Amino acid sequence: MKLTLAGLRAFVPGLPEDVPALRDALDASGLEVKGMETDGPQTVVTLEFLANRGDHRSYAGVADELAARLGLPRTGLPATRLTTSAEAPAVTVESGRCLAYTLTPLTVTDPGAALPADTLERLATAGLSTGLTVVDAAQAAGLETGQPVHAFDADLVAGPVVVRESRPGEAIRLNAGEDPRELTAGTLVVADREKLLAVAGVVGGTEAAVSATTRRVLLESAAYDPVSVRLAAGALGLSTPASQRYERGSDPTAPLAGAGRAVALLENAGAAVRDGDTAEPVRWAGPLPTVAIDAADCARFLGLGLTLDDMADRLADYGFRQQEPGVFQVPGTRIWDVKEPEDLYEELARHIGFDELPGTALPAGTGALPTRRETLLRTIGDTLVGLGFYETFTEGFYGRDTLKLLAPAGDHPLAPHVRIGNAEDRRYSMLKNNCLAQAVAAAAANLRFKQDQIRLFEATRVFEPSPEADNGLCHERPVVWALALGSSDPMRWSDKAPEMDFFFLRGAVEEIALRCRADVRFVPLPPEHPLADSLHPHRSARILLGDRPAGVLGEVHPDVRRRAGLGGKRPCYLELAVEEWEYEDRPAVLPPFREDPPVERMLDFVTPRTVTSEEILAVMRAAAPDWLRTLRVVDVFVPGKAAPGERSITYLITFNSEPARTAEEINGILDVLVAAVTTEFGDAGVRLR
């Protein structure tokens, strides 16, 4: 957000002339300065605001911080004191998510009247100028005070104004010449008898918008539930100055003051006059909250002692008034982010200055070796990074919309969740019991941004509800998941590389197993597995370490892809159960370097389709000596002289070369393996090729 230094001085006249000193004061106040540009007499400051501080998104909010930090007096700008009465415009509020609402009637007396030059300069710097005096006055009031103000053309409003929730199928036209946008049912809106006038707290529609021909105005100033505004703005894909302010929490006591500033600008410019009293169908009724702090606890938190009187004086600079010893009333601008004593301790720390707080050396020891799990996770992560994957981080919570990608029925293993009964944001109301839904959602998000080469992984936890768990709620199970989509070699220029598929991820698992010195196998995914109906039935597998289930991999099911809007893209998913990969008898590290390479041999059996490769592998493993290193399938093909239904399967057999073994000894073992297979399956037609 861009602000002018002259505009800040209108609120804090004593600000230092030294620009670097002002920048230091902004930084010390927790306002990140992205840049300062001086063009002649004008200095423009670009600020980055904290996500939970909606009050900062205005000149008044930034001025409050500077005045408190520098110990300077804070002034205000002229505002008209509005009178409310029952004779005001007819307006009703039908939703409790509208916390306060005012509507002030105006008559435009001079549409071409100009607002003060400094006001126009502030609007131009912020990129909010429209050239319409009434609209600019409303924008200026929001920019200066932090209270959004919106104007409707009263002659285009049909009947009483009502604030309510949208009905199924209702739509609003946001831009001239475009089709109306249908709203999600339950969206908070402002409407008249015939149409929707605005999406509350987000954006106004075009059908009652102020224009150069407007002669009567209804000036709206309100306060809305932050979550409602955030959801509405997200559904529309919009971010406006009003929504940015409302979704971070606006001051529910300020609507009249914000409207009063806009009215003062218009009346002083000779652009408009009030046409009656202001309607106020809803005034915020809740008392301002209080927070109690303890002086001793504060001293421990900050590392220095402050008397209660000293704390009261410092907090008063930020608008916190002491109601009784140690109990402070939170100002309306801060009720959304100040809830705990530690929040007030942070205010004190900013007032004192973080650099002024005493520093103490952190306790230090000699360190500790990484645990077995830490070593394992590092090994898995390094292997995936080496294969081109990027580590990502997802939330421990999700909502129904994310879970709908998998569409589990009521009796499905993924249907039960540990839920938050009073979640402030329904998008994060359930502890996740799977990672596939978020992985697919991440793929969809990347594709929306035209990124179709996707290799993601994460080490996280899933929470499986169980009354038998130690905590009485759920088992926390550590997992590593990965998702691959796109070309296996996007940098190749000579010809098109194959897409990453089931076998690409299987190779990744085999590489991880090699580095962890684990004996990995793949078997068909049983239908009772929780993810079985979310993965492709013929391109999925369960991962086994020995005989223990240790993960799953497979191509995402077409139904899941369709619900996620992936089109023809076919991502593949991998999930490893971390606890099953933790071996007590062997560390999760690379095997020691051997000077002699392992001894490799191949056996090729012609088999009917009634005998699977896994069955032959099991027989050979049972017959092999303990110095066998690996045994795996490397090729399957149909030989030229094969009978109908026959195929040839090639197995790669790797033996440890230490101690040294003769060729005769190796060949003798191969004879044993061939004899074991032909004895077991000879009657079925299995033979050495």
Side-chain angles (χ1 to χ4, degrees):
M1 182 174 179
K2 291 186 176 182
L3 306 175
T4 66
L5 184 53
L8 290 172
R9 285 205 172 94
F11 288 85
V12 189
L15 286 178
E17 296 292 336
D18 183 11
V19 173
L22 177 61
R23 176 169 189 153
D24 290 343
L26 288 166
D27 286 333
S29 300
L31 298 163
E32 182 182 353
V33 180
K34 306 295 287 187
M36 298 187 77
E37 302 173 4
T38 300
D39 183 9
Q42 183 64 276
T43 298
V44 176
V45 184
T46 303
L47 297 177
E48 183 76 19
F49 298 129
L50 296 173
N52 66 336
R53 290 295 300 273
D55 60 306
H56 281 167
R57 309 186 77 86
S58 65
Y59 278 89
V62 175
D64 286 340
E65 295 289 346
L66 289 172
R69 181 77 184 95
L70 299 173
L72 297 173
R74 160 81 154 78
T75 62
L77 297 179
T80 300
R81 186 178 182 85
L82 301 179
T83 303
T84 62
S85 75
E87 304 299 323
V91 55
T92 58
V93 174
E94 298 178 355
S95 174
R97 293 187 287 164
C98 177
L99 309 179
Y101 196 84
T102 69
L103 205 61
T104 303
L106 302 173
T107 296
V108 178
T109 55
D110 183 359
L115 298 177
D118 57 345
T119 299
L120 294 175
E121 186 176 58
R122 291 193 279 271
L123 285 172
T125 300
L128 299 177
S129 295
T130 66
L132 297 172
T133 303
V134 171
V135 177
D136 283 349
Q139 295 275 39
L143 178 63
E144 293 168 348
T145 69
Q147 170 59 43
V149 180
H150 185 76
F152 299 113
D153 187 325
D155 290 324
L156 300 179
V157 176
V161 172
V162 57
V163 183
R164 59 174 174 80
E165 295 175 4
S166 65
R167 304 176 184 114
E170 281 195 301
I172 183 171
R173 191 183 303 277
L174 299 180
N175 295 293
E178 293 186 4
D179 293 334
R181 296 279 298 274
E182 185 172 334
L183 302 179
T184 304
T187 300
L188 196 62
V189 296
V190 182
D192 63 13
R193 186 176 57 244
E194 301 174 350
K195 59 187 173 298
L196 301 185
L197 305 178
V199 180
V202 181
V203 65
T206 61
E207 296 183 73
V210 170
S211 67
T213 61
T214 297
R215 292 299 176 265
R216 293 195 311 123
V217 173
L218 291 175
L219 201 64
E220 175 198 80
S221 183
Y224 301 109
D225 171 63
V227 174
S228 297
V229 176
R230 188 182 312 128
L231 292 175
L236 291 171
L238 293 177
S239 179
T240 64
S243 70
Q244 292 168 12
R245 181 70 174 88
Y246 278 127
E247 66 188 23
R248 289 164 175 82
S250 66
D251 182 355
T253 69
L256 280 174
R261 173 57 183 162
V263 170
L265 284 169
L266 292 169
E267 290 182 336
N268 293 339
V273 295
R274 280 170 288 168
D275 186 18
D277 292 335
T278 296
E280 190 180 22
V282 174
R283 175 179 294 180
W284 190 66
L288 290 172
T290 59
V291 176
I293 62 176
D294 179 78
D297 186 52
C298 180
R300 286 191 298 272
F301 188 91
L302 298 177
L304 57 87
L306 294 176
T307 66
L308 197 55
D309 289 341
D310 190 12
M311 288 190 286
D313 290 341
R314 293 179 184 273
L315 291 173
D317 288 343
Y318 291 111
F320 297 90
R321 305 300 176 189
Q322 186 170 215
Q323 303 299 296
E324 55 184 90
V327 179
F328 293 86
Q329 186 180 67
V330 180
T333 55
R334 303 297 304 279
I335 62 175
W336 305 103
D337 71 290
V338 174
K339 299 178 181 298
E340 307 292 341
E342 289 77 10
D343 296 327
L344 293 185
Y345 301 162
E346 181 182 350
E347 300 298 304
L348 291 169
R350 290 194 299 117
H351 195 281
I352 295 167
F354 292 108
D355 291 340
E356 303 301 321
L357 297 176
T360 56
L362 294 173
T366 58
L369 292 173
T371 65
R372 188 177 302 277
R373 179 170 297 179
E374 289 170 341
T375 303
L376 170 65
L377 292 176
R378 182 179 302 170
T379 301
I380 296 174
D382 288 349
T383 304
L384 291 172
V385 169
L387 294 171
F389 285 78
Y390 290 86
E391 186 172 10
T392 187
F393 300 93
T394 60
E395 302 284 354
F397 293 85
Y398 54 45
R400 294 182 183 275
D401 288 344
T402 302
L403 191 62
K404 284 179 182 177
L405 296 178
L406 306 185
D411 57 349
H412 193 277
L414 296 182
H417 284 78
V418 176
R419 303 173 185 268
I420 301 175
N422 59 344
E424 290 189 5
D425 191 335
R426 294 181 182 177
R427 292 177 297 176
Y428 306 100
S429 61
M430 299 186 293
L431 272 173
K432 64 181 179 185
N433 65 6
N434 76 93
C435 297
L436 177 58
Q438 289 178 319
V440 173
N446 275 272
L447 290 173
R448 285 196 297 271
F449 285 94
K450 310 303 181 184
Q451 176 56 260
D452 57 0
Q453 301 298 325
I454 304 170
R455 302 187 197 190
L456 302 175
F457 81 95
E458 180 186 26
T460 184
R461 290 174 177 269
V462 294
F463 304 86
E464 299 169 340
S466 172
E468 299 176 359
D470 293 340
N471 57 21
L473 291 175
C474 60
H475 293 296
E476 297 185 22
R477 186 166 60 85
V479 300
V480 173
W481 66 263
L483 182 133
L485 173 63
S487 172
S488 60
D489 186 5
M491 302 303 293
R492 181 183 296 187
W493 62 270
S494 58
D495 58 358
K496 185 177 180 181
E499 296 289 306
M500 291 181 287
D501 57 10
F502 169 87
F503 295 101
F504 178 85
L505 277 187
R506 173 171 171 157
V509 176
E510 291 174 338
E511 183 70 19
I512 291 169
L514 178 63
R515 298 194 66 184
C516 294
R517 303 178 68 182
D519 181 17
V520 66
R521 295 192 295 124
F522 303 90
V523 298
L525 187 63
E528 65 272 12
H529 191 281
L531 296 181
D533 51 5
S534 297
L535 299 176
H536 196 290
H538 304 303
R539 290 190 278 272
S540 59
R542 169 173 272 179
I543 302 168
L544 299 181
L545 293 182
D547 295 323
R548 302 193 313 276
V552 62
L553 77 150
E555 183 180 301
V556 176
H557 196 283
D559 289 344
V560 178
R561 303 200 310 259
R562 175 182 52 79
R563 287 190 287 266
L566 300 186
K569 303 296 184 180
R570 295 162 55 178
C572 291
Y573 177 76
L574 162 67
E575 183 174 299
L576 302 178
V578 172
E579 291 172 330
E580 299 301 331
W581 287 75
E582 292 182 276
Y583 280 85
E584 295 297 331
D585 56 344
R586 46 188 166 183
V589 295
L590 285 172
F593 176 76
R594 298 177 182 273
E595 291 188 5
D596 296 330
V599 178
E600 293 184 345
R601 294 287 189 272
M602 286 188 179
L603 290 177
D604 194 346
F605 291 100
V606 176
T607 73
R609 294 189 180 275
T610 55
V611 179
T612 68
S613 62
E614 288 291 339
E615 290 174 324
I616 295 176
L617 282 172
V619 170
M620 286 198 287
R621 285 194 183 96
D626 57 5
W627 40 279
L628 172 75
R629 178 181 289 188
T630 61
L631 177 59
R632 61 190 180 94
V633 175
V634 294
D635 196 10
V636 179
F637 63 97
V638 179
K641 296 182 180 180
E646 287 188 334
R647 57 185 175 170
S648 180
I649 304 177
T650 303
Y651 298 87
L652 177 64
I653 306 164
T654 306
F655 299 99
N656 289 334
S657 58
E658 296 180 4
R661 306 183 191 280
T662 65
E664 290 76 10
E665 189 175 4
I666 297 295
N667 291 336
I669 295 301
L670 294 179
D671 291 339
V672 170
L673 299 183
V674 172
V677 172
T678 54
T679 299
E680 181 71 22
F681 302 110
D683 293 342
V686 176
R687 62 188 183 277
L688 186 67
R689 183 169 180 270

